[in-house]
Amino acid sequence: MPLFNKKYRLTLEDESSLEKKVNLSLSFFAIILLGVAFLVVAGALGIFVFASSPMKNRLPGYLKESERTATEEQHLRLDSLVQVYEINEAYISGILNALNPSEETPWRAMDHKPHPLTLDSLKPASPEERRFMERIRERDKYDIDYSSPSPSQTLMFGNVYKGAVISQDSRESQVADIILPKGAPVAAVAEGKVISVATSPKNSGAFEVIIQHPKGFLSKTGRLSRLLVRPGDIVAAGQIIATGAAREGLKGNHVSLQLWHDGDPLIPSRFLPPYHSSPKSQNNSL
């Protein structure tokens, strides 16, 4: 008789009364099907119990898409905070070296690839910073005269590009918004030494270059794209320091320019060449 045609009988009998309680007659094929069904049900029950417990998080790739996205965003935010810390550290070091020049100050080479950052990755100002800024405002509110230094301290400043102009809204601002033709490079406004190269979180990671000029002058040119200088480089007036602006607008490219003398801020439009400054300017040199 073939194996699959054989039949097996399962009998359960109560010995006290000799009464049969269970009497099953199954073929070999039926027994195999019951065994497979039992394994499937047991496996499904085990998977359900495992998926309902915290152990499911230990399975590789089990995280939901939303949870995985949230985890990646937290890692990116952490990386952005680390970048902000390193950029601010380099920026502050450059300012301190500009105010207190020292040949022993070590300069760390900066990565010349912009790292776009968002404003929400920056921490708000601390109470100490707010108190310091308030003291500075109280001190400076009476300093309304931004006249030129004495003739013995004069320094001729050039323009970042021959065809550039300062926007009307920033002609009386300490941060000049300079509009260049599309594709125009950016030059140093005077001779000096590059003391800082950093990216600006407020300008989506665009570069800014700080140059220490003779006789206590300092300039910062921002919103730059690809740089051609590094910290420690000696540049001449009119030397190209960047290939252009970081962003292009409908009417041209925009870069920013700030000037200081002995730590005091100046209004750039009053000291740049006539075709590059406000009509109200009366001085073309420092």
Side-chain angles (χ1 to χ4, degrees), residues 125 128-138:
E128 292 78 9
E129 290 175 322
R130 289 195 293 268
R131 287 195 294 268
F132 175 76
M133 294 171 64
E134 185 63 29
R135 289 198 301 268
I136 294 299
R137 283 194 292 267
E138 287 293 326

Side-chain angles (χ1 to χ4, degrees), residues 267-279:
I267 297 180
S269 65
R270 299 184 180 180
F271 310 109
L272 297 175
Y275 53 82
H276 189 200
S277 61
S278 167

Side-chain angles (χ1 to χ4, degrees), residues 14-164:
D14 187 356
E15 292 185 354
S16 61
S17 61
L18 300 179
E19 181 181 359
K20 293 182 179 179
K21 299 296 183 180
V22 178
N23 187 13
L24 295 177
S25 179
L26 300 172
S27 64
F28 183 76
F29 183 72
I31 292 175
I32 291 178
L33 289 179
L34 286 176
V36 171
F38 175 78
L39 292 176
V40 171
V41 172
L45 182 62
I47 292 174
F48 174 77
V49 172
F50 190 84
S52 303
S53 66
M55 292 293 292
K56 64 182 180 181
N57 294 326
R58 297 186 177 274
L59 289 176
Y62 181 80
L63 287 177
K64 297 180 180 179
E65 187 65 26
S66 59
E67 296 176 349
R68 186 181 298 108
T69 301
T71 302
E72 292 175 354
E73 289 179 353
Q74 293 300 326
H75 282 295
L76 291 175
R77 182 177 290 272
L78 178 60
D79 292 341
S80 297
L81 290 175
V82 172
Q83 292 176 1
V84 170
Y85 171 78
E86 293 178 350
I87 291 170
N88 289 341
E89 182 183 22
Y91 181 80
I92 293 173
S93 298
I95 294 296
L96 292 177
N97 186 75
L99 299 177
N100 301 286
S102 174
E103 295 298 332
E104 298 178 357
T105 303
W107 289 103
R108 182 173 55 189
M110 297 288 296
D111 184 4
H112 277 232
K113 294 182 179 180
H115 301 285
L117 302 173
T118 56
L119 290 178
D120 62 351
S121 64
L122 300 179
K123 293 183 178 180
S126 64
E128 292 78 9
E129 290 175 322
R130 289 195 293 268
R131 287 195 294 268
F132 175 76
M133 294 171 64
E134 185 63 29
R135 289 198 301 268
I136 294 299
R137 283 194 292 267
E138 287 293 326
R139 187 197 70 177
D140 292 345
K141 68 181 181 179
Y142 301 107
D143 299 335
I144 59 177
D145 183 16
Y146 291 95
S147 58
S148 302
S150 63
S152 61
Q153 298 176 316
T154 57
L155 178 68
M156 295 298 297
F157 276 78
N159 54 326
V160 297
Y161 187 76
K162 185 176 181 180

Side-chain angles (χ1 to χ4, degrees), residues 217-278:
F217 292 100
L218 194 74
S219 69
K220 181 171 76 172
T221 309
R223 304 178 195 165
L224 304 175
S225 59
R226 182 170 172 268
L227 298 182
L228 303 177
V229 293
R230 292 176 177 270
D233 289 352
I234 303 299
V235 296
Q239 178 178 334
I240 303 301
I241 60 175
T243 58
R247 290 185 177 181
E248 291 188 356
L250 295 178
K251 298 182 179 180
N253 300 337
H254 291 248
V255 298
S256 62
L257 177 66
Q258 295 173 261
L259 298 175
W260 292 268
H261 179 258
D262 290 339
D264 295 325
L266 305 172
I267 297 180
S269 65
R270 299 184 180 180
F271 310 109
L272 297 175
Y275 53 82
H276 189 200
S277 61
S278 167

